[in-house]
Amino acid sequence: MKIAIIQFPGSNCDRDAYYALAGVFNQPTRLFWHKRPSLAGAECVVLPGGFSYGDYLRCGAIARFSPVMKAVVEFAQNGGPVIGICNGFQILCEAGLLPGALVRNEGMEFICETSKLKVEDSMDYFNQSSLGETIDIPIAHGEGNYRIDDDGLAELEANNQILFRYANNPNGSKADIAGIRNKEGNVFGMMPHPERAVEDLHPSRDGIGVFKAFLKSQMARQKA
C-alpha cells in the first residue's frame, strides 16, 4: 500500500510516522509537503501530529485550508483510507471528515504521558480480539478534549464508531473518547500516538497493533 504522510508547517511527528510505516512495516511511504495539489497515486494518507501553523486560531483550523487538503477530502470521500494522529485528528475534524471537535484539555495543561486505552469492538481488526482489551499508547497534547453533542455521541455509539476510550480520562474528553472512525470505516482519528509505541525503547509496542489493524482493515475493504 503506497502511503502519503502529509507535512504541514509545524508538523513534528511526520518522521516518526514515516519510520513506523516504512521502517517497521516496510510499506512504500513518502512525505508529502502540504502545498502539493494532488496525492500522486497514494493509496493511504496519514496526517501526523504536531502543531500545524503554530495552532493559531484553533488546532487544525488553518491546516484544513492547505492546498493538499482538497485532494485529501476528495480521496476520503471516494473511500480512500485516511488516519489522523493528534494534530492530524484535529485537522480531520476541522475538515469535516470526522464528527466533533478537539478543545483545550479540561485542566488547561499540556499532558505528556503514556495512557491506557480501552479497546472498543468497532469493526474488523479494530476490536478486542485483535488488539486486546487495553493498550498503552503515549499522548502529548494541550487540546485533546474531544467534544460532540449528545445526538452526535449517540450516533457514534450506535454505529460502533468509537475505537478507543481512555481508561483514566486525562483531558475531559466526552465519554472518555480517545479515537473514532467515520461511519463508512475509511477515516480514522486518534489523539494518542501509535508511532511512538513501535520499538522496545518506547513505553510499549502497542502502536504496532494499531497500525496493523488500520492497514489490514483497509486492505480488506479494497479487496471486498
Side-chain angles (χ1 to χ4, degrees):
M1 181 173 280
K2 299 175 183 175
I3 300 172
I5 298 176
I6 309 300
Q7 295 176 298
F8 300 96
S11 294
N12 66 3
C13 300
D14 44 335
R15 298 284 176 176
D16 294 332
Y18 180 89
Y19 174 77
L21 292 163
V24 177
F25 284 91
N26 197 32
Q27 294 293 309
T29 305
R30 296 176 62 186
L31 296 170
F32 269 58
W33 186 234
H34 72 113
K35 288 191 175 181
R36 297 185 66 152
S38 78
L39 296 173
E43 299 171 304
C44 174
V45 173
V46 178
L47 303 188
F51 303 91
S52 59
Y53 293 92
D55 281 351
Y56 287 112
L57 297 182
R58 197 172 57 246
C59 294
I62 300 177
R64 64 162 292 195
F65 294 106
S66 285
V68 76
M69 284 305 296
K70 182 178 179 181
V72 172
V73 170
E74 290 177 356
F75 179 75
Q77 290 176 339
N78 288 325
V82 178
I83 184 169
I85 301 167
C86 196
N87 190 222
F89 183 17
Q90 296 161 338
I91 295 169
L92 291 178
C93 289
E94 291 289 339
L97 291 176
L98 288 173
L102 285 307
V103 302
R104 291 292 300 273
N105 293 342
E106 192 171 65
M108 304 299 284
E109 293 183 347
F110 189 93
I111 303 171
C112 184
E113 62 184 27
T114 298
S115 190
K116 186 172 292 296
L117 308 178
K118 296 179 181 176
V119 177
E120 296 291 311
D121 288 325
S122 178
M123 59 188 293
D124 289 346
Y125 301 106
F126 273 98
N127 53 56
Q128 294 186 358
S129 295
S130 296
L131 295 171
E133 294 184 4
T134 63
I135 56 176
D136 296 321
I137 304 287
I139 61 171
H141 58 247
E143 291 163 305
N145 184 353
Y146 181 75
R147 312 308 301 171
I148 193 167
D149 62 25
D150 290 340
D151 289 343
L153 176 60
E155 187 170 352
L156 290 180
E157 300 272 13
N159 295 322
N160 297 319
Q161 290 175 244
I162 300 171
L163 302 173
F164 308 110
R165 299 181 200 262
Y166 297 107
N168 299 295
N169 193 337
N171 52 32
S173 284
K174 189 159 186 172
D176 305 325
I177 289 174
I180 62 171
R181 64 170 173 85
N182 67 349
K183 190 183 301 183
E184 293 76 14
N186 67 301
V187 180
F188 298 71
M190 59 186 296
M191 287 308 296
H193 289 264
E195 78 280 9
R196 298 183 185 179
V198 297
E199 291 280 10
D200 288 339
L201 56 81
H202 291 161
S204 82
R205 300 184 73 211
D206 290 342
I208 291 176
V210 174
F211 281 124
K212 188 179 293 183
F214 172 66
L215 294 172
K216 281 188 172 181
S217 66
Q218 299 312 304
M219 289 177 180
R221 288 181 81 252
Q222 291 179 359
K223 289 179 180 177

